[in-house]
Amino acid sequence: MVAPGLVLGLVLPLILWADRSAGIGFRFASYINNDMVLQKEPAGAVIWGFGTPGAAVTVTLRQGQETIMKKVTSVKAHSDTWMVVLDPMKAGGPFEVMAQQTLEKMNFTLRVHDVLFGDVWLCSGQSNMQMTVLQIFNATRELSNTAAYQSVRILSVSPIQAEQELEDLVAVDLQWSKPTSENLGHGYFKYMSAVCWLFGRHLYDTLQYPIGLIASSWGGTPIEAWSSGRSLKACGVPKQGSVPYNSITGPSKHSVLWNAMIHPLRNMTLKGVVWYQGESNVNYNTDLYNCTFPALIEDWRETFHRGSQGQTERFFPFGFVQLSSDLSKSSDDGFPQIRWHQTADFGYVPNPKMPNTFMAVAMDLCDRDSPFGSIHPRDKQTVAYRLHLGARALAYGEKNLTFEGPLPETVELLAHEGLLNLTYYQQIQVQKRDNKIFEISCCSDHRCKWLPASMNTFSTQSLTLATDSCHGTVVALRYAWTTWPCEYKQCPLYHPSSALPAPPFIAFITDQGSGHQSNVAK
């Protein structure tokens, strides 16, 4: 006969073990943590995690001792996941989010505190997005400027690859945090994106409510790694092959970063995305970028909308940085091609193929002396400033705000006078004359070549170019169609009050009759 005390000694550890094991898988999704920002009204923020199949989960939002709301759900058997959508909340905080799993008579409780409601932006791309504040101009001053921005919260996803779409992030380099000089300047290309941080800081200055910033980027990566198989298939991207290009130093295999670093975020309610990528496609599937980039935007929008139970807007705002310059590619056509393809060959955004998008032109922010190579210019402040103008106009509906540089509305060929007349839809400021930055395609004897077209006369909204260098037929015009179009902030054309540069373009002159007008965009 076994002594009663021994039986109790055997049973009690079993009860304790069962109690603990039943709650072992109960957790929030990896990015739900203290100090986070959840998306404010009019959307509802999504809270989700993992648990024991069949268990009930109650999610409570509290402020101090006051219960603001409760949501009840259960853990799905096939995925071990649970999810609730909170009622839309006004910007502000702090709040506590509590999740409690109940299975039979066992309860397990999770808590995250100092949660704010505001706007959540995801920042992604390659190394120019990955550069930290430590790497940019005036880094010391920028790193010390955090005290006023404690409601701008930051999170950085770990660089991970996966062969299949993951449900949750494998790792997080920097969990949700208040900004400090340490986490903003944590080494080179580590933790927090400078472009993302400065963009969010500008938004906070304008909006005066919390901003959540999620950095998920990896240097030297082509767009194919960030794209789902669906979007690559839609663009007819060739199956994975060898990639012997110097510009690709990070993972290049199709979808591996989408799988591990974007798809796990899909349930999150977002305000929008900003993107800085393209250098790694300068010599890789370049001709497909006018499809792969719009397709990525469309696919991300659909995925986040569906993943968030419709809370992330179906056509949420998507901003991007048009490529800057690089000395090592000065004779290559790849950079201007990618810049053009970044706009789906329209030259401007938003456009019919890229609705609700905004662009920061960066071709005049070149940096010959960057210690990280000229492909990594250090003036990320101007990049972020130009991006935030687009966000204010597109994402926040600010009226009468100039957020893009001047682009010609019409190009008029005055063949008998040897002139091309460009009429701009907004005012222009000719900062300097440059007789090489405009080029005309001159054709004779079934051969065409690009020749410089010198700047002749100009007014507040028009510019005349000389075409007398062409002894054949002028069939096209292009602007800033080189890897390095001008020196730092010294391109010829800007908008007079916003100091935004005129973007590059190519226009085809379809009718050779004198006085014919052609639209710039194809």
Side-chain angles (χ1 to χ4, degrees):
M1 182 177 169
V2 180
L6 183 58
V7 172
L8 186 61
L10 290 170
V11 172
L12 190 59
L14 286 172
I15 292 172
L16 292 174
W17 177 85
D19 189 56
R20 280 195 293 267
S21 65
I24 225 165
F26 182 52
R27 64 177 179 87
F28 286 118
S30 58
Y31 59 79
I32 295 177
N33 218 299
N34 301 332
D35 300 317
M36 76 181 303
V37 176
L38 293 172
Q39 182 58 42
K40 72 169 189 68
E41 63 178 7
V46 173
I47 302 292
W48 72 283
F50 298 85
T52 307
V57 176
T58 303
V59 176
T60 307
L61 183 69
R62 298 172 61 87
Q63 189 166 37
Q65 298 303 309
E66 182 185 0
T67 297
I68 309 297
M69 75 179 80
K70 279 191 178 185
K71 299 285 179 178
V72 180
T73 187
S74 58
V75 181
K76 294 177 182 175
H78 67 281
S79 62
D80 295 349
T81 61
W82 53 269
M83 178 184 292
V84 300
V85 178
L86 300 181
D87 298 337
M89 292 288 295
K90 293 184 185 302
F95 296 89
E96 179 186 71
V97 177
M98 183 173 74
Q100 187 174 66
Q101 175 178 281
T102 304
L103 186 64
E104 296 175 352
K105 293 184 178 179
M106 293 181 288
N107 294 329
F108 304 93
T109 303
L110 308 170
R111 287 183 173 88
V112 293
H113 58 78
D114 196 15
V115 175
L116 305 179
F117 284 86
D119 282 340
V120 182
W121 286 83
L122 170 62
C123 306
S124 188
Q126 55 182 114
S127 55
N128 270 304
M129 182 61 87
Q130 203 175 12
M131 284 176 75
T132 66
V133 179
L134 191 66
Q135 297 176 265
I136 66 175
F137 286 134
N138 302 315
T140 303
R141 188 184 73 198
E142 299 289 8
L143 289 172
S144 66
N145 185 19
T146 60
Y149 297 99
Q150 295 300 292
S151 292
V152 181
R153 305 292 174 80
I154 56 178
L155 174 135
S156 184
V157 175
S158 298
I160 300 283
Q161 307 176 59
E163 294 292 322
Q164 302 294 329
E165 292 180 341
L166 302 183
E167 291 300 300
D168 196 15
L169 296 172
V170 172
V172 173
D173 271 358
L174 176 69
Q175 265 296 359
W176 282 108
S177 303
K178 297 175 182 179
T180 66
S181 58
E182 290 76 25
N183 57 32
L184 286 176
H186 185 82
Y188 295 162
F189 303 107
K190 289 183 179 178
Y191 280 17
M192 197 54 204
S193 156
V195 168
C196 192
W197 162 248
L198 296 167
F199 170 76
R201 205 174 71 183
H202 278 303
L203 288 183
Y204 181 81
D205 287 340
T206 301
L207 301 167
Q208 291 294 302
Y209 60 67
I211 301 292
L213 302 170
I214 300 152
S216 184
S217 49
W218 194 327
T221 50
I223 196 169
E224 289 77 7
W226 296 101
S227 303
S228 72
R230 293 180 301 277
S231 59
L232 294 175
K233 185 178 179 182
C235 291
V237 177
K239 288 193 174 164
Q240 187 73 24
S242 60
V243 188
Y245 298 110
N246 294 333
S247 60
I248 298 179
T249 56
S252 63
K253 197 169 182 183
H254 291 180
S255 307
V256 290
L257 304 185
W258 158 261
N259 291 339
M261 297 175 68
I262 301 299
H263 186 265
L265 301 170
R266 73 201 179 284
N267 296 341
M268 182 183 292
T269 309
L270 292 179
K271 176 66 176 180
V273 168
V274 286
W275 171 262
Y276 195 160
Q277 189 277 338
E279 296 91 344
S280 288
N281 286 95
V282 163
N283 291 307
Y284 179 60
N285 289 337
T286 310
D287 293 341
L288 292 173
Y289 204 92
N290 58 358
C291 181
T292 51
F293 184 39
L296 175 142
I297 296 172
E298 165 62 19
D299 189 62
W300 284 27
R301 283 172 166 168
E302 185 181 346
T303 300
F304 277 88
H305 178 70
R306 192 170 62 244
S308 66
Q309 310 298 304
Q311 298 304 305
T312 299
E313 287 182 17
R314 176 63 180 83
F315 294 98
F316 62 72
F318 195 108
F320 63 95
V321 183
Q322 196 179 46
L323 292 194
S324 184
S325 306
D326 181 23
L327 284 172
S328 64
K329 302 283 195 304
S330 57
S331 62
D332 199 339
D333 197 40
F335 263 68
Q337 288 285 357
I338 289 290
R339 289 188 192 117
W340 187 242
H341 290 340
Q342 283 180 299
T343 67
D345 300 351
F346 281 84
Y348 60 89
V349 294
N351 62 52
K353 287 189 178 177
M354 300 172 69
N356 211 29
T357 57
F358 55 96
M359 171 175 76
V361 175
M363 68 180 183
D364 66 331
L365 302 180
C366 47
D367 189 352
R368 288 181 180 273
D369 304 317
S370 172
F372 314 104
S374 62
I375 201 167
H376 296 123
R378 289 166 288 175
D379 182 1
K380 295 299 191 268
Q381 289 91 336
T382 303
V383 170
Y385 175 76
R386 291 174 180 175
L387 267 178
H388 110 282
L389 290 178
R392 282 167 60 184
L394 269 294
Y396 297 99
E398 193 170 327
K399 303 299 182 188
N400 304 316
L401 178 71
T402 301
F403 67 97
E404 52 192 353
L407 196 70
E409 196 167 28
T410 57
V411 177
E412 186 178 11
L413 177 63
L414 307 172
H416 61 289
E417 298 175 37
L419 297 173
L420 268 176
N421 191 55
L422 283 61
T423 303
Y424 286 79
Y425 73 92
Q426 57 178 311
Q427 289 190 347
I428 61 171
Q429 176 178 320
V430 178
Q431 183 164 283
K432 59 181 284 189
R433 287 180 180 269
D434 184 328
N435 292 329
K436 293 183 178 178
I437 200 163
F438 282 101
E439 297 172 292
I440 50 175
S441 179
C442 179
C443 299
S444 61
D445 299 328
H446 305 290
R447 289 187 174 185
C448 299
K449 60 181 176 179
W450 289 101
L451 299 172
S454 59
M455 296 167 64
N456 194 323
T457 59
F458 58 87
S459 65
T460 55
Q461 279 186 257
S462 66
L463 177 67
T464 303
L465 305 173
T467 62
D468 49 11
S469 61
C470 177
H471 301 296
T473 304
V474 177
V475 298
L477 168 70
R478 66 188 188 184
Y479 172 74
W481 207 264
T482 62
T483 301
W484 194 282
C486 57
E487 291 307 311
Y488 180 74
K489 292 191 176 179
Q490 289 297 310
C491 279
L493 297 177
Y494 287 81
H495 182 268
S497 61
S498 68
L500 293 174
F505 71 83
I506 186 167
F508 298 91
I509 298 163
T510 54
D511 188 332
Q512 296 304 313
S514 181
H516 175 73
Q517 293 186 344
S518 292
N519 290 325
V520 167
K522 287 196 288 184

